Coordinates of all heavy atoms in Angstrom, one line a residue:
M1278 N 5.8 13.2 3.5 CA 4.5 13.3 2.8 C 3.5 14.0 3.7 O 3.5 13.8 4.9 CB 4.0 11.9 2.4 CG 4.9 11.2 1.4 SD 4.1 9.7 0.9 CE 3.4 10.2 -0.6
P1279 N 2.6 14.7 3.1 CA 1.5 15.2 3.9 C 0.7 14.1 4.6 O 0.7 12.9 4.1 CB 0.6 16.0 2.9 CG 1.5 16.2 1.8 CD 2.5 15.1 1.7
G1280 N 0.0 14.4 5.6 CA -0.7 13.4 6.4 C -1.7 12.6 5.7 O -1.9 11.4 5.9
Y1281 N -2.4 13.2 4.8 CA -3.5 12.4 4.1 C -3.0 11.6 2.9 O -3.6 10.7 2.5 CB -4.6 13.4 3.5 CG -4.0 14.4 2.5 CD1 -4.0 14.1 1.2 CD2 -3.5 15.6 2.9 CE1 -3.5 15.0 0.2 CE2 -3.0 16.5 2.0 CZ -3.1 16.2 0.7 OH -2.6 17.1 -0.2
L1282 N -1.8 11.8 2.4 CA -1.2 11.0 1.3 C -0.6 9.7 1.7 O -0.4 8.8 0.9 CB -0.2 11.9 0.5 CG -0.8 13.0 -0.3 CD1 0.4 13.7 -1.0 CD2 -1.7 12.4 -1.3
K1283 N -0.3 9.6 3.0 CA 0.3 8.3 3.4 C -0.7 7.1 3.4 O -0.2 6.0 3.3 CB 0.9 8.4 4.8 CG -0.1 8.7 5.9 CD 0.6 8.8 7.2 CE -0.3 9.4 8.2 NZ 0.3 9.7 9.5
H1284 N -2.0 7.4 3.3 CA -2.9 6.4 3.2 C -2.9 5.7 1.8 O -3.5 4.7 1.5 CB -4.3 6.9 3.5 CG -4.5 7.3 4.9 ND1 -4.7 6.4 5.9 CD2 -4.5 8.6 5.4 CE1 -4.8 7.1 7.0 NE2 -4.7 8.4 6.8
F1285 N -2.2 6.4 0.8 CA -2.1 5.8 -0.5 C -0.8 5.1 -0.8 O -0.5 4.7 -1.9 CB -2.2 7.0 -1.5 CG -3.6 7.6 -1.5 CD1 -3.7 8.9 -1.1 CD2 -4.7 7.0 -1.9 CE1 -4.9 9.6 -1.0 CE2 -6.0 7.6 -1.9 CZ -6.1 8.9 -1.5
T1286 N -0.1 4.8 0.3 CA 1.2 4.0 0.1 C 1.0 2.6 0.7 O 0.2 2.4 1.7 CB 2.3 4.7 0.9 OG1 2.0 4.8 2.3 CG2 2.5 6.2 0.3
I1287 N 1.7 1.7 0.2 CA 1.7 0.3 0.6 C 2.4 0.2 2.0 O 2.0 -0.6 2.8 CB 2.3 -0.6 -0.4 CG1 1.3 -0.6 -1.6 CG2 2.4 -2.0 0.1 CD1 1.8 -1.5 -2.8
A1288 N 3.4 1.0 2.2 CA 4.2 0.9 3.4 C 3.3 1.3 4.6 O 3.5 0.7 5.7 CB 5.4 1.9 3.4
Y1289 N 2.3 2.1 4.5 CA 1.4 2.5 5.6 C 0.7 1.3 6.1 O 0.5 1.1 7.3 CB 0.5 3.6 5.1 CG -0.6 4.0 6.1 CD1 -0.3 4.7 7.2 CD2 -1.9 3.6 5.9 CE1 -1.2 5.1 8.1 CE2 -2.9 3.9 6.8 CZ -2.6 4.7 7.9 OH -3.5 5.0 8.8
Y1290 N 0.2 0.4 5.1 CA -0.6 -0.7 5.5 C 0.3 -1.9 6.0 O -0.2 -2.8 6.6 CB -1.5 -1.1 4.4 CG -2.5 -0.1 4.1 CD1 -2.5 0.8 3.0 CD2 -3.6 0.1 5.0 CE1 -3.4 1.8 2.8 CE2 -4.5 1.1 4.8 CZ -4.4 1.9 3.7 OH -5.3 2.9 3.5
L1291 N 1.6 -1.9 5.6 CA 2.5 -2.9 6.1 C 2.9 -2.7 7.5 O 3.3 -3.6 8.2 CB 3.7 -3.0 5.2 CG 3.5 -3.5 3.8 CD1 4.8 -3.4 3.0 CD2 3.1 -5.0 3.9
Q1292 N 2.7 -1.4 8.0 CA 3.0 -1.1 9.4 C 2.2 -2.0 10.4 O 2.7 -2.4 11.4 CB 2.7 0.3 9.7 CG 3.8 1.3 9.3 CD 3.4 2.7 9.7 OE1 2.2 3.0 9.7 NE2 4.4 3.5 10.1
A1293 N 0.9 -2.2 10.1 CA 0.1 -2.9 11.0 C 0.5 -4.4 11.0 O 0.2 -5.1 12.0 CB -1.4 -2.8 10.6
L1294 N 1.0 -4.9 9.9 CA 1.4 -6.3 9.9 C 2.7 -6.6 10.5 O 3.0 -7.7 10.9 CB 1.4 -6.8 8.4 CG 0.0 -6.7 7.7 CD1 0.1 -7.1 6.3 CD2 -1.1 -7.4 8.4
A1295 N 3.6 -5.6 10.6 CA 4.9 -5.7 11.2 C 5.2 -4.5 12.1 O 5.9 -3.7 11.8 CB 6.0 -5.9 10.2
P1296 N 4.5 -4.4 13.3 CA 4.6 -3.3 14.1 C 6.0 -3.2 14.8 O 6.6 -4.3 15.0 CB 3.5 -3.4 15.2 CG 3.3 -4.9 15.2 CD 3.5 -5.4 13.8
Q1297 N 6.5 -2.0 15.0 CA 7.7 -1.8 15.7 C 7.5 -0.9 16.9 O 6.7 0.0 16.9 CB 8.7 -1.1 14.8 CG 9.1 -1.9 13.6 CD 10.1 -1.2 12.7 OE1 10.4 -0.1 12.9 NE2 10.5 -1.9 11.6
A1298 N 8.2 -1.2 18.0 CA 8.1 -0.4 19.2 C 8.9 0.9 19.0 O 10.0 0.9 18.5 CB 8.6 -1.2 20.4
M1299 N 8.3 2.0 19.4 CA 8.9 3.3 19.4 C 9.7 3.5 20.6 O 9.3 3.0 21.7 CB 7.9 4.4 19.2 CG 7.1 4.3 17.9 SD 8.2 4.4 16.5 CE 8.6 6.1 16.5
P1300 N 10.9 4.1 20.6 CA 11.7 4.4 21.8 C 10.9 5.3 22.7 O 10.2 6.2 22.3 CB 12.9 5.0 21.3 CG 12.7 5.4 19.9 CD 11.5 4.6 19.4
S1301 N 11.0 5.0 24.0 CA 10.2 5.8 25.0 C 10.9 7.1 25.4 O 10.3 8.0 26.0 CB 10.0 5.0 26.3 OG 11.3 4.6 26.8
E1302 N 12.2 7.3 25.0 CA 12.9 8.5 25.4 C 12.6 9.7 24.4 O 13.1 10.8 24.6 CB 14.4 8.3 25.4 CG 14.9 7.3 26.5 CD 14.8 5.9 26.0 OE1 14.8 5.6 24.8 OE2 14.7 5.0 26.9
N1303 N 11.9 9.4 23.4 CA 11.6 10.4 22.4 C 10.6 11.5 23.0 O 9.8 11.2 23.8 CB 10.9 9.7 21.2 CG 10.9 10.6 20.0 OD1 11.2 11.8 20.0 ND2 10.4 10.1 18.9
T1304 N 10.8 12.7 22.6 CA 10.0 13.8 23.1 C 8.6 13.7 22.5 O 7.6 14.3 23.1 CB 10.6 15.2 22.7 OG1 10.7 15.3 21.3 CG2 11.9 15.4 23.4
L1305 N 8.4 13.0 21.4 CA 7.1 12.9 20.8 C 6.3 11.7 21.3 O 5.2 11.4 20.8 CB 7.2 12.8 19.3 CG 7.7 14.1 18.6 CD1 7.9 13.8 17.1 CD2 6.8 15.3 18.8
S1306 N 6.9 10.9 22.2 CA 6.2 9.7 22.6 C 4.8 9.9 23.3 O 3.9 9.1 23.1 CB 7.1 8.9 23.6 OG 7.4 9.6 24.7
P1307 N 4.6 10.9 24.1 CA 3.3 11.1 24.6 C 2.3 11.4 23.5 O 1.1 11.0 23.6 CB 3.4 12.4 25.5 CG 4.8 12.4 25.9 CD 5.6 11.9 24.7
L1308 N 2.7 12.1 22.5 CA 1.8 12.4 21.4 C 1.5 11.1 20.6 O 0.4 10.9 20.1 CB 2.4 13.4 20.4 CG 1.6 13.9 19.2 CD1 0.3 14.5 19.7 CD2 2.5 14.8 18.4
Q1309 N 2.4 10.2 20.4 CA 2.2 9.0 19.7 C 1.3 8.0 20.5 O 0.6 7.3 19.8 CB 3.6 8.3 19.4 CG 4.4 9.1 18.4 CD 5.8 8.5 18.3 OE1 6.2 7.7 19.1 NE2 6.5 8.9 17.2
T1310 N 1.3 8.1 21.8 CA 0.4 7.2 22.5 C -1.0 7.7 22.5 O -1.9 6.9 22.6 CB 0.9 7.1 24.0 OG1 0.9 8.4 24.6 CG2 2.2 6.4 24.1
V1311 N -1.2 9.0 22.4 CA -2.5 9.6 22.3 C -3.2 9.3 21.0 O -4.4 8.9 20.9 CB -2.5 11.1 22.6 CG1 -3.9 11.7 22.4 CG2 -2.0 11.4 24.0
A1312 N -2.4 9.5 19.9 CA -3.0 9.3 18.6 C -2.2 8.3 17.8 O -1.4 8.7 16.9 CB -3.1 10.7 17.9
P1313 N -2.3 7.0 18.0 CA -1.5 6.1 17.2 C -2.1 6.1 15.8 O -3.3 6.0 15.6 CB -1.7 4.8 17.9 CG -3.0 4.9 18.7 CD -3.1 6.4 19.0
D1314 N -1.2 6.1 14.8 CA -1.6 6.2 13.4 C -1.3 4.9 12.7 O -0.5 5.0 11.7 CB -1.0 7.4 12.8 CG -1.7 7.7 11.4 OD1 -2.8 7.4 11.3 OD2 -1.0 8.3 10.6
V1315 N -1.8 3.8 13.2 CA -1.6 2.5 12.5 C -2.9 1.9 12.2 O -3.8 1.8 13.0 CB -0.8 1.6 13.5 CG1 -0.6 0.3 12.8 CG2 0.5 2.3 13.8
P1316 N -3.1 1.5 10.9 CA -4.4 0.9 10.6 C -4.6 -0.5 11.2 O -3.6 -1.1 11.7 CB -4.3 0.8 9.1 CG -2.9 0.7 8.8 CD -2.2 1.6 9.8
S1317 N -5.8 -0.9 11.3 CA -6.1 -2.3 11.8 C -5.6 -3.3 10.9 O -5.3 -3.1 9.7 CB -7.6 -2.4 12.0 OG -8.2 -2.5 10.8
T1318 N -5.4 -4.5 11.4 CA -4.9 -5.6 10.6 C -5.9 -6.0 9.5 O -5.5 -6.2 8.3 CB -4.7 -6.9 11.5 OG1 -3.8 -6.5 12.5 CG2 -4.1 -8.0 10.7
A1319 N -7.2 -6.0 9.8 CA -8.2 -6.3 8.7 C -8.1 -5.3 7.6 O -8.2 -5.6 6.4 CB -9.5 -6.4 9.3
E1320 N -8.1 -4.0 8.0 CA -8.0 -2.9 7.0 C -6.7 -3.1 6.1 O -6.8 -2.9 4.9 CB -8.0 -1.6 7.7 CG -8.0 -0.4 6.7 CD -7.9 0.9 7.4 OE1 -7.9 1.0 8.7 OE2 -8.0 1.9 6.7
S1321 N -5.6 -3.4 6.8 CA -4.4 -3.5 6.0 C -4.4 -4.7 5.1 O -4.0 -4.6 3.9 CB -3.2 -3.8 7.0 OG -3.0 -2.7 7.8
L1322 N -5.0 -5.8 5.5 CA -5.1 -7.0 4.6 C -6.0 -6.7 3.4 O -5.7 -7.1 2.3 CB -5.5 -8.2 5.4 CG -4.5 -8.8 6.4 CD1 -5.2 -9.9 7.2 CD2 -3.3 -9.3 5.6
F1323 N -7.1 -6.0 3.7 CA -8.0 -5.6 2.6 C -7.3 -4.8 1.6 O -7.4 -5.1 0.4 CB -9.3 -4.9 3.2 CG -10.1 -4.4 2.1 CD1 -10.9 -5.2 1.4 CD2 -10.1 -3.0 1.8 CE1 -11.7 -4.7 0.3 CE2 -10.9 -2.5 0.8 CZ -11.7 -3.3 0.0
W1324 N -6.7 -3.7 2.0 CA -6.1 -2.8 1.0 C -4.9 -3.4 0.3 O -4.6 -3.1 -0.9 CB -5.7 -1.4 1.7 CG -7.0 -0.6 1.9 CD1 -7.5 -0.3 3.1 CD2 -7.8 -0.1 0.9 NE1 -8.7 0.4 2.9 CE2 -8.9 0.6 1.6 CE3 -7.8 -0.1 -0.5 CZ2 -9.9 1.2 0.9 CZ3 -8.8 0.6 -1.1 CH2 -9.9 1.2 -0.4
L1325 N -4.1 -4.2 1.0 CA -3.0 -4.9 0.4 C -3.5 -5.9 -0.7 O -2.9 -6.0 -1.8 CB -2.1 -5.6 1.4 CG -1.3 -4.6 2.2 CD1 -0.6 -5.4 3.4 CD2 -0.3 -3.9 1.4
S1326 N -4.5 -6.6 -0.4 CA -5.1 -7.6 -1.4 C -5.7 -6.8 -2.5 O -5.6 -7.2 -3.7 CB -6.1 -8.5 -0.7 OG -7.2 -7.8 -0.2
F1327 N -6.3 -5.7 -2.3 CA -6.9 -4.9 -3.3 C -5.8 -4.4 -4.3 O -5.9 -4.4 -5.5 CB -7.6 -3.7 -2.7 CG -8.2 -2.7 -3.7 CD1 -9.3 -3.0 -4.4 CD2 -7.5 -1.5 -4.0 CE1 -9.8 -2.2 -5.4 CE2 -8.0 -0.6 -4.9 CZ -9.2 -1.0 -5.6
A1328 N -4.6 -3.9 -3.7 CA -3.5 -3.5 -4.5 C -2.9 -4.6 -5.3 O -2.6 -4.4 -6.5 CB -2.4 -2.9 -3.6
I1329 N -2.8 -5.8 -4.8 CA -2.3 -6.9 -5.5 C -3.2 -7.3 -6.7 O -2.8 -7.5 -7.8 CB -2.0 -8.1 -4.6 CG1 -0.9 -7.8 -3.6 CG2 -1.8 -9.4 -5.4 CD1 -0.7 -8.8 -2.5
V1330 N -4.5 -7.4 -6.4 CA -5.5 -7.8 -7.4 C -5.5 -6.7 -8.5 O -5.5 -7.0 -9.7 CB -6.9 -8.0 -6.8 CG1 -7.9 -8.1 -7.9 CG2 -6.8 -9.2 -6.0
T1331 N -5.5 -5.4 -8.2 CA -5.5 -4.4 -9.2 C -4.2 -4.4 -10.0 O -4.3 -4.3 -11.3 CB -5.6 -3.0 -8.5 OG1 -6.8 -3.0 -7.7 CG2 -5.6 -1.9 -9.5
A1332 N -3.1 -4.6 -9.4 CA -1.8 -4.7 -10.2 C -1.9 -5.9 -11.2 O -1.4 -5.8 -12.3 CB -0.6 -4.8 -9.3
L1333 N -2.4 -7.0 -10.7 CA -2.5 -8.2 -11.6 C -3.4 -8.0 -12.7 O -3.1 -8.4 -13.9 CB -2.9 -9.4 -10.7 CG -1.8 -10.0 -9.8 CD1 -2.4 -11.2 -9.0 CD2 -0.6 -10.6 -10.7
L1334 N -4.6 -7.4 -12.4 CA -5.5 -7.1 -13.5 C -5.0 -6.2 -14.5 O -5.2 -6.4 -15.8 CB -6.8 -6.6 -12.9 CG -7.7 -7.6 -12.2 CD1 -8.9 -7.0 -11.5 CD2 -8.1 -8.8 -13.1
L1335 N -4.3 -5.1 -14.1 CA -3.7 -4.2 -15.0 C -2.6 -4.8 -15.9 O -2.5 -4.5 -17.1 CB -3.2 -2.9 -14.3 CG -4.3 -2.0 -13.7 CD1 -3.7 -0.9 -12.9 CD2 -5.1 -1.4 -14.9
S1336 N -1.8 -5.7 -15.2 CA -0.7 -6.3 -16.0 C -1.3 -7.3 -17.0 O -0.8 -7.5 -18.1 CB 0.3 -7.0 -15.1 OG -0.4 -8.0 -14.3
M1337 N -2.4 -8.0 -16.6 CA -3.0 -9.0 -17.5 C -3.6 -8.2 -18.7 O -3.5 -8.7 -19.9 CB -4.1 -9.8 -16.8 CG -3.5 -10.8 -15.9 SD -4.8 -11.6 -14.8 CE -6.2 -11.8 -15.8
R1338 N -4.2 -7.1 -18.4 CA -4.8 -6.3 -19.5 C -3.7 -5.8 -20.5 O -3.9 -5.8 -21.7 CB -5.6 -5.2 -18.9 CG -6.3 -4.4 -20.0 CD -7.2 -3.3 -19.3 NE -7.9 -2.6 -20.3 CZ -7.7 -1.3 -20.6 NH1 -6.8 -0.7 -19.9 NH2 -8.3 -0.7 -21.5
G1339 N -2.6 -5.4 -19.9 CA -1.5 -4.9 -20.7 C -0.9 -6.0 -21.6 O -0.7 -5.7 -22.8
V1340 N -0.8 -7.2 -21.1 CA -0.2 -8.3 -21.9 C -1.3 -8.7 -23.0 O -0.9 -9.0 -24.1 CB 0.2 -9.4 -21.0 CG1 0.5 -10.7 -21.8 CG2 1.4 -9.0 -20.2
E1341 N -2.5 -8.7 -22.6 CA -3.6 -9.1 -23.5 C -3.7 -8.2 -24.7 O -4.0 -8.6 -25.8 CB -4.9 -9.2 -22.7 CG -6.1 -9.7 -23.5 CD -7.3 -9.8 -22.7 OE1 -8.0 -8.7 -22.5 OE2 -7.6 -10.9 -22.1
H1342 N -3.6 -6.9 -24.5 CA -3.8 -5.9 -25.6 C -2.5 -5.6 -26.3 O -2.5 -4.8 -27.2 CB -4.4 -4.6 -25.0 CG -5.8 -4.8 -24.6 ND1 -6.3 -5.9 -24.0 CD2 -6.8 -4.0 -24.8 CE1 -7.6 -5.7 -23.8 NE2 -7.9 -4.6 -24.2
R1343 N -1.4 -6.2 -26.0 CA -0.1 -5.9 -26.7 C -0.1 -6.7 -28.0 O -0.6 -7.8 -28.2 CB 1.0 -6.4 -25.8 CG 2.4 -6.2 -26.5 CD 3.5 -6.5 -25.6 NE 3.5 -5.5 -24.6 CZ 4.3 -5.4 -23.6 NH1 5.2 -6.3 -23.5 NH2 4.3 -4.4 -22.7
E1344 N 0.4 -6.0 -29.0 CA 0.4 -6.6 -30.4 C 1.9 -7.0 -30.6 O 2.8 -6.2 -30.4 CB 0.0 -5.6 -31.4 CG -1.4 -5.2 -31.3 CD -1.8 -4.2 -32.4 OE1 -1.1 -4.1 -33.4 OE2 -2.9 -3.6 -32.3
Y1345 N 2.0 -8.3 -31.0 CA 3.3 -8.8 -31.2 C 3.6 -8.9 -32.7 O 2.7 -9.3 -33.5 CB 3.5 -10.2 -30.6 CG 3.4 -10.2 -29.1 CD1 2.2 -10.5 -28.5 CD2 4.5 -9.9 -28.4 CE1 2.1 -10.5 -27.1 CE2 4.5 -9.9 -27.0 CZ 3.3 -10.2 -26.4 OH 3.2 -10.2 -25.0
L1346 N 4.7 -8.5 -33.2 CA 5.1 -8.6 -34.6 C 5.9 -9.9 -34.8 O 6.9 -10.1 -34.2 CB 5.9 -7.4 -35.0 CG 5.2 -6.0 -34.8 CD1 6.2 -4.9 -35.2 CD2 4.0 -6.0 -35.8
L1347 N 5.3 -10.7 -35.6 CA 6.0 -12.0 -35.9 C 6.7 -11.8 -37.2 O 6.2 -11.4 -38.2 CB 5.0 -13.1 -36.0 CG 4.2 -13.3 -34.7 CD1 3.1 -14.4 -35.0 CD2 5.1 -13.7 -33.6
E1348 N 8.0 -12.3 -37.2 CA 8.7 -12.3 -38.5 C 8.3 -13.4 -39.4 O 8.1 -14.5 -38.9 CB 10.2 -12.4 -38.2 CG 10.8 -11.2 -37.4 CD 12.3 -11.4 -37.2 OE1 12.9 -12.2 -37.9 OE2 12.8 -10.8 -36.2
Q1349 N 8.1 -13.1 -40.6 CA 7.6 -14.1 -41.6 C 8.6 -14.4 -42.7 O 9.3 -13.6 -43.2 CB 6.3 -13.7 -42.2 CG 5.2 -13.6 -41.2 CD 3.9 -13.3 -41.8 OE1 3.7 -13.3 -43.0 NE2 2.9 -13.0 -41.0

């Protein structure tokens, strides 16, 4: 994904809650230490809770506006 689109994924914000150590033998390791691209824990919790609340509200709205056909 392009660099700016990863901010719209849930996996990006889960990185801060479950960090993993990168191998030090990698050729990109100096670049990763200069510019770590992991959001803060507070930012991650905010956006994850926002995503959960939004999904719940949209699902509640979908169920509320659904028309059920009852057999008579």
